[in-house]
Protein backbone atom coordinates (compact mmCIF):
# COMPACT_ATOMS: atom_id res chain seq x y z
CA UNK A 1 0.00 0.00 0.00
CA UNK A 2 1.17 3.52 -0.81
CA UNK A 3 0.10 6.92 0.53
CA UNK A 4 -0.54 10.00 -1.58
CA UNK A 5 -1.26 13.43 -0.11
CA UNK A 6 -4.02 14.98 -2.20
CA UNK A 7 -3.05 18.22 -3.96
CA UNK A 8 -5.30 20.96 -5.36
CA UNK A 9 -6.45 19.88 -8.81
CA UNK A 10 -5.97 16.17 -8.15
CA UNK A 11 -8.68 13.88 -9.49
CA UNK A 12 -9.18 10.14 -9.32
CA UNK A 13 -8.61 10.05 -13.07
CA UNK A 14 -5.26 11.82 -13.19
CA UNK A 15 -3.91 9.97 -10.14
CA UNK A 16 -5.00 6.64 -11.63
CA UNK A 17 -3.22 7.56 -14.87
CA UNK A 18 0.02 8.32 -12.98
CA UNK A 19 0.05 4.92 -11.26
CA UNK A 20 -1.16 3.19 -14.46
CA UNK A 21 -4.43 2.03 -12.96
CA UNK A 22 -6.76 1.72 -15.97
CA UNK A 23 -10.12 2.09 -14.21
CA UNK A 24 -10.09 4.97 -11.69
CA UNK A 25 -13.20 3.64 -9.94
CA UNK A 26 -10.97 1.10 -8.18
CA UNK A 27 -8.89 3.89 -6.67
CA UNK A 28 -11.88 5.08 -4.67
CA UNK A 29 -12.92 1.51 -3.88
CA UNK A 30 -9.46 0.54 -2.59
CA UNK A 31 -9.13 3.66 -0.44
CA UNK A 32 -12.56 3.27 1.18
CA UNK A 33 -11.87 -0.39 1.94
CA UNK A 34 -8.64 0.37 3.81
CA UNK A 35 -9.07 3.86 5.32
CA UNK A 36 -10.67 4.99 8.54
CA UNK A 37 -14.40 5.63 8.32
CA UNK A 38 -13.94 9.42 8.65
CA UNK A 39 -11.46 9.44 5.76
CA UNK A 40 -13.79 7.81 3.23
CA UNK A 41 -14.17 9.44 -0.17
CA UNK A 42 -17.79 10.34 -0.86
CA UNK A 43 -17.74 12.56 -3.94
CA UNK A 44 -14.61 14.62 -4.49
CA UNK A 45 -11.01 14.48 -3.31
CA UNK A 46 -10.16 16.89 -0.49
CA UNK A 47 -6.73 18.59 -0.79
CA UNK A 48 -4.46 17.89 2.17
CA UNK A 49 -6.01 14.54 3.04
CA UNK A 50 -4.35 11.17 2.54
CA UNK A 51 -5.27 8.87 -0.33
CA UNK A 52 -4.37 5.21 0.02
CA UNK A 53 -3.05 3.73 -3.20
CA UNK A 54 -2.89 0.06 -4.22
CA UNK A 55 0.50 -1.55 -4.74
CA UNK A 56 1.71 -2.80 -8.12
CA UNK A 57 0.33 -6.31 -7.64
CA UNK A 58 -3.12 -4.96 -6.77
CA UNK A 59 -3.02 -2.54 -9.71
CA UNK A 60 -2.27 -5.46 -12.03
CA UNK A 61 -5.18 -7.42 -10.55
CA UNK A 62 -7.53 -4.49 -11.16
CA UNK A 63 -6.23 -4.01 -14.71
CA UNK A 64 -6.68 -7.71 -15.45
CA UNK A 65 -10.44 -7.20 -15.04
CA UNK A 66 -10.22 -5.39 -18.37
CA UNK A 67 -13.23 -3.20 -17.57
CA UNK A 68 -11.76 0.28 -17.93
CA UNK A 69 -14.18 2.65 -19.71
CA UNK A 70 -11.71 3.35 -22.52
CA UNK A 71 -11.65 -0.37 -23.38
CA UNK A 72 -15.34 -0.50 -24.28
CA UNK A 73 -16.17 -1.51 -27.89
CA UNK A 74 -17.90 1.84 -28.46
CA UNK A 75 -14.65 3.69 -27.73
CA UNK A 76 -12.57 1.30 -29.84
CA UNK A 77 -14.52 1.16 -33.11
CA UNK A 78 -13.30 -0.81 -36.09
CA UNK A 79 -13.42 1.58 -39.03
CA UNK A 80 -13.81 -0.41 -42.23
CA UNK A 81 -13.14 0.79 -45.77
CA UNK A 82 -15.70 -0.50 -48.26
CA UNK A 83 -16.16 2.15 -50.99
CA UNK A 84 -17.65 -0.09 -53.70
CA UNK A 85 -20.38 1.84 -55.53
CA UNK A 86 -19.53 5.11 -53.74
CA UNK A 87 -20.50 8.24 -55.69
CA UNK A 88 -20.97 11.40 -53.61
CA UNK A 89 -20.53 15.17 -53.64
CA UNK A 90 -19.10 17.31 -50.84
CA UNK A 91 -19.15 21.00 -49.98
CA UNK A 92 -15.61 22.12 -49.08
CA UNK A 93 -14.97 25.33 -47.17
CA UNK A 94 -11.53 26.72 -46.37
CA UNK A 95 -10.55 29.83 -44.42
CA UNK A 96 -6.88 30.79 -44.35
CA UNK A 97 -5.64 33.56 -42.07
CA UNK A 98 -2.35 35.10 -41.06
CA UNK A 99 -1.65 37.43 -38.16
CA UNK A 100 1.30 39.80 -37.94
CA UNK A 101 1.57 42.22 -35.02
CA UNK A 102 -2.18 42.02 -34.40
CA UNK A 103 -3.12 42.58 -38.05
CA UNK A 104 -5.12 39.71 -39.55
CA UNK A 105 -5.47 38.91 -43.24
CA UNK A 106 -8.09 36.33 -44.29
CA UNK A 107 -8.86 34.43 -47.46
CA UNK A 108 -12.01 32.30 -47.84
CA UNK A 109 -12.99 30.00 -50.65
CA UNK A 110 -15.17 26.97 -51.28
CA UNK A 111 -15.92 24.40 -53.94
CA UNK A 112 -17.86 21.22 -54.61
CA UNK A 113 -15.81 18.00 -54.67
CA UNK A 114 -17.09 14.88 -56.41
CA UNK A 115 -15.72 11.46 -55.55
CA UNK A 116 -16.72 8.39 -57.55
CA UNK A 117 -15.50 4.84 -57.00
CA UNK A 118 -14.59 3.23 -60.35
CA UNK A 119 -13.11 -0.19 -59.68
CA UNK A 120 -10.93 -2.40 -57.49
CA UNK A 121 -7.98 -3.81 -59.41
CA UNK A 122 -4.67 -5.30 -58.26
CA UNK A 123 -5.74 -4.72 -54.65
CA UNK A 124 -6.16 -0.97 -55.27
CA UNK A 125 -9.32 1.13 -55.35
CA UNK A 126 -9.59 3.63 -58.19
CA UNK A 127 -11.63 6.82 -57.71
CA UNK A 128 -12.40 9.71 -60.04
CA UNK A 129 -12.04 13.10 -58.36
CA UNK A 130 -13.32 16.46 -59.62
CA UNK A 131 -13.88 19.99 -58.31
CA UNK A 132 -16.51 22.49 -59.39
CA UNK A 133 -18.49 25.59 -58.35
CA UNK A 134 -15.49 27.49 -57.01
CA UNK A 135 -16.07 30.57 -54.89
CA UNK A 136 -13.32 32.85 -53.62
CA UNK A 137 -12.84 36.42 -52.46
CA UNK A 138 -10.44 37.79 -55.03
CA UNK A 139 -11.73 36.29 -58.29
CA UNK A 140 -8.70 37.53 -60.25
CA UNK A 141 -7.90 36.63 -63.85
CA UNK A 142 -5.01 34.39 -62.81
CA UNK A 143 -7.23 32.57 -60.31
CA UNK A 144 -9.79 32.00 -63.07
CA UNK A 145 -7.03 30.67 -65.33
CA UNK A 146 -5.80 28.31 -62.61
CA UNK A 147 -9.33 27.00 -61.99
CA UNK A 148 -10.11 26.48 -65.69
CA UNK A 149 -6.75 24.79 -66.22
CA UNK A 150 -7.40 22.26 -63.46
CA UNK A 151 -10.99 21.68 -64.59
CA UNK A 152 -9.66 20.74 -68.03
CA UNK A 153 -7.84 17.76 -66.45
CA UNK A 154 -10.83 16.29 -64.63
CA UNK A 155 -11.58 13.64 -63.67
CA UNK A 156 -8.32 12.99 -61.83
CA UNK A 157 -7.51 9.38 -61.01
CA UNK A 158 -6.92 8.64 -57.33
CA UNK A 159 -5.56 5.24 -56.32
CA UNK A 160 -6.15 4.11 -52.73
CA UNK A 161 -5.02 1.16 -50.59
CA UNK A 162 -7.49 -1.46 -49.25
CA UNK A 163 -7.34 0.44 -45.93
CA UNK A 164 -8.31 3.77 -47.50
CA UNK A 165 -4.94 5.52 -47.68
CA UNK A 166 -3.97 7.43 -50.83
CA UNK A 167 -1.27 5.83 -52.97
CA UNK A 168 -0.94 7.97 -56.08
CA UNK A 169 -2.84 10.22 -58.45
CA UNK A 170 -2.78 10.73 -62.18
CA UNK A 171 -4.40 12.05 -65.35
CA UNK A 172 -6.63 9.83 -67.47
CA UNK A 173 -5.33 8.55 -70.81
CA UNK A 174 -8.00 10.49 -72.67
CA UNK A 175 -6.91 13.81 -71.16
CA UNK A 176 -3.25 13.07 -71.88
CA UNK A 177 -4.12 12.20 -75.47
CA UNK A 178 -5.99 15.50 -75.97
CA UNK A 179 -3.74 17.77 -73.92
CA UNK A 180 -2.49 19.85 -76.85
CA UNK A 181 -6.07 20.73 -77.84
CA UNK A 182 -6.90 21.49 -74.20
CA UNK A 183 -3.94 23.87 -73.92
CA UNK A 184 -4.86 25.58 -77.21
CA UNK A 185 -8.41 26.24 -75.98
CA UNK A 186 -7.09 27.71 -72.73
CA UNK A 187 -4.82 30.05 -74.69
CA UNK A 188 -7.82 31.17 -76.75
CA UNK A 189 -9.73 31.99 -73.55
CA UNK A 190 -6.76 33.76 -71.91
CA UNK A 191 -4.79 35.40 -74.78
CA UNK A 192 -1.99 37.29 -73.01
CA UNK A 193 1.69 36.71 -72.28
CA UNK A 194 1.16 36.05 -68.57
CA UNK A 195 -1.38 33.34 -69.32
CA UNK A 196 1.07 31.80 -71.79
CA UNK A 197 3.79 31.68 -69.12
CA UNK A 198 1.38 30.11 -66.64
CA UNK A 199 0.21 27.50 -69.14
CA UNK A 200 3.80 26.51 -69.93
CA UNK A 201 4.31 25.77 -66.23
CA UNK A 202 0.93 24.05 -66.11
CA UNK A 203 1.95 21.79 -69.01
CA UNK A 204 5.20 20.89 -67.25
CA UNK A 205 3.29 19.79 -64.14
CA UNK A 206 0.60 17.92 -66.07
CA UNK A 207 3.09 16.05 -68.26
CA UNK A 208 5.37 14.96 -65.40
CA UNK A 209 3.57 12.24 -63.40
CA UNK A 210 5.69 12.56 -60.24
CA UNK A 211 5.33 16.35 -60.11
CA UNK A 212 1.60 16.15 -60.81
CA UNK A 213 1.13 13.47 -58.14
CA UNK A 214 2.96 15.60 -55.56
CA UNK A 215 0.82 18.65 -56.38
CA UNK A 216 -2.51 16.80 -56.21
CA UNK A 217 -1.64 15.13 -52.92
CA UNK A 218 -1.43 18.61 -51.39
CA UNK A 219 -5.20 18.95 -51.84
CA UNK A 220 -6.73 19.27 -48.36
CA UNK A 221 -9.78 17.21 -49.23
CA UNK A 222 -7.77 14.24 -50.51
CA UNK A 223 -5.17 14.25 -47.75
CA UNK A 224 -7.91 14.28 -45.07
CA UNK A 225 -10.34 11.91 -46.76
CA UNK A 226 -7.71 9.33 -47.66
CA UNK A 227 -5.41 9.60 -44.66
CA UNK A 228 -4.58 6.65 -42.40
CA UNK A 229 -7.17 7.71 -39.80
CA UNK A 230 -8.78 4.27 -40.13
CA UNK A 231 -5.86 2.72 -38.20
CA UNK A 232 -6.94 0.28 -35.43
CA UNK A 233 -7.95 1.55 -31.99
CA UNK A 234 -6.40 0.25 -28.79
CA UNK A 235 -7.27 1.34 -25.26
CA UNK A 236 -9.53 4.07 -26.58
CA UNK A 237 -7.01 5.68 -28.94
CA UNK A 238 -5.82 5.43 -32.52
CA UNK A 239 -2.75 7.06 -34.04
CA UNK A 240 -1.80 8.12 -37.57
CA UNK A 241 0.44 10.54 -39.46
CA UNK A 242 -0.64 13.25 -41.89
CA UNK A 243 1.14 16.00 -43.84
CA UNK A 244 -0.40 19.47 -43.72
CA UNK A 245 1.44 22.38 -45.33
CA UNK A 246 4.44 20.05 -45.76
CA UNK A 247 4.62 19.39 -42.02
CA UNK A 248 4.30 15.84 -40.70
CA UNK A 249 1.73 15.74 -37.90
CA UNK A 250 1.44 12.86 -35.42
CA UNK A 251 -2.28 12.71 -34.73
CA UNK A 252 -4.20 10.79 -32.09
CA UNK A 253 -7.94 10.26 -32.19
CA UNK A 254 -10.62 9.12 -29.79
CA UNK A 255 -14.17 7.99 -30.44
CA UNK A 256 -17.13 9.84 -28.93
CA UNK A 257 -20.05 7.95 -27.44
CA UNK A 258 -23.19 8.25 -29.55
CA UNK A 259 -26.61 6.64 -29.83
CA UNK A 260 -26.32 6.50 -33.61
CA UNK A 261 -26.26 3.03 -35.18
CA UNK A 262 -25.06 4.44 -38.50
CA UNK A 263 -22.20 6.81 -37.59
CA UNK A 264 -18.89 6.90 -35.74
CA UNK A 265 -17.82 10.23 -34.23
CA UNK A 266 -14.08 10.88 -33.92
CA UNK A 267 -12.06 13.63 -32.26
CA UNK A 268 -8.53 14.26 -33.52
CA UNK A 269 -5.67 16.18 -31.93
CA UNK A 270 -1.88 16.18 -31.88
CA UNK A 271 -0.29 13.23 -30.07
CA UNK A 272 1.90 15.63 -28.09
CA UNK A 273 1.63 19.39 -27.71
CA UNK A 274 4.50 21.63 -26.71
CA UNK A 275 4.73 25.39 -26.45
CA UNK A 276 5.03 27.14 -29.85
CA UNK A 277 4.43 23.82 -31.64
CA UNK A 278 1.93 23.35 -34.46
CA UNK A 279 -1.64 22.74 -33.34
CA UNK A 280 -4.30 20.58 -34.94
CA UNK A 281 -7.83 19.57 -33.94
CA UNK A 282 -10.46 17.77 -35.95
CA UNK A 283 -13.93 16.30 -35.58
CA UNK A 284 -14.98 13.62 -38.06
CA UNK A 285 -18.23 11.75 -38.71
CA UNK A 286 -17.77 8.39 -40.45
CA UNK A 287 -20.37 5.95 -41.75
CA UNK A 288 -20.15 2.62 -39.92
CA UNK A 289 -21.13 0.49 -42.91
CA UNK A 290 -18.41 1.63 -45.32
CA UNK A 291 -15.95 3.84 -43.40
CA UNK A 292 -16.48 6.84 -45.69
CA UNK A 293 -16.42 10.34 -44.22
CA UNK A 294 -19.75 12.13 -43.96
CA UNK A 295 -18.40 15.37 -42.46
CA UNK A 296 -15.17 16.79 -41.12
CA UNK A 297 -14.15 20.01 -39.41
CA UNK A 298 -10.48 20.71 -38.76
CA UNK A 299 -8.30 23.61 -37.64
CA UNK A 300 -4.55 23.69 -38.21
CA UNK A 301 -2.34 26.51 -36.94
CA UNK A 302 1.36 27.18 -36.71
CA UNK A 303 3.80 30.04 -36.19
CA UNK A 304 6.68 30.92 -38.47
CA UNK A 305 9.03 33.62 -37.27
CA UNK A 306 6.66 36.35 -36.01
CA UNK A 307 3.67 35.39 -38.17
CA UNK A 308 0.83 33.13 -36.98
CA UNK A 309 -0.96 31.10 -39.65
CA UNK A 310 -4.28 29.24 -39.36
CA UNK A 311 -6.40 27.15 -41.72
CA UNK A 312 -9.99 26.12 -41.01
CA UNK A 313 -11.21 23.32 -43.22
CA UNK A 314 -14.57 21.56 -43.48
CA UNK A 315 -16.11 18.74 -45.53
CA UNK A 316 -19.88 18.25 -45.69
CA UNK A 317 -21.64 15.52 -47.65
CA UNK A 318 -24.41 17.06 -49.79
Amino acid sequence: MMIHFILPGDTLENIAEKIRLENPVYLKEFHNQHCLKDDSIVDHLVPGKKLLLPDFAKIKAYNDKNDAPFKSPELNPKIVFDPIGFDEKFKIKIKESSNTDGKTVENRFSYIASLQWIKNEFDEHLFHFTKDQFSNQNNTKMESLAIESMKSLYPIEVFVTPKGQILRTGITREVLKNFNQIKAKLLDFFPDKYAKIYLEEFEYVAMNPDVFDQKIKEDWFLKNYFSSFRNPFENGKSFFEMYLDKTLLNVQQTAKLTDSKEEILLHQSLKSKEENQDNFTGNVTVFKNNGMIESLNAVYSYKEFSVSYSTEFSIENI
Side-chain angles (χ1 to χ4, degrees), residues 105-116:
V105 177
E106 290 186 355
N107 181 34
R108 300 172 185 259
F109 57 98
S110 64
Y111 59 88
I112 301 298
S114 298
L115 196 61
Q116 181 184 17

Side-chain angles (χ1 to χ4, degrees), residues 198-253:
Y198 175 87
L199 288 173
E200 291 296 329
E201 296 176 353
F202 172 69
E203 181 178 16
Y204 171 78
V205 172
M207 294 296 103
N208 287 270
D210 290 341
V211 177
F212 181 81
D213 179 58
Q214 184 179 0
K215 291 284 187 183
I216 295 301
K217 283 181 178 176
E218 288 301 309
D219 182 88
W220 275 62
F221 174 83
L222 292 178
K223 67 174 61 178
N224 277 275
Y225 209 93
F226 293 122
S227 72
S228 53
F229 79 92
R230 298 174 182 87
N231 282 347
F233 276 77
E234 184 177 357
N235 293 340
K237 292 182 179 180
S238 173
F239 302 92
F240 66 96
E241 294 180 340
M242 179 171 58
Y243 276 98
L244 288 182
D245 288 337
K246 299 181 180 180
T247 299
L248 180 63
L249 303 180
N250 292 305
V251 181
Q252 71 174 19
Q253 61 183 357

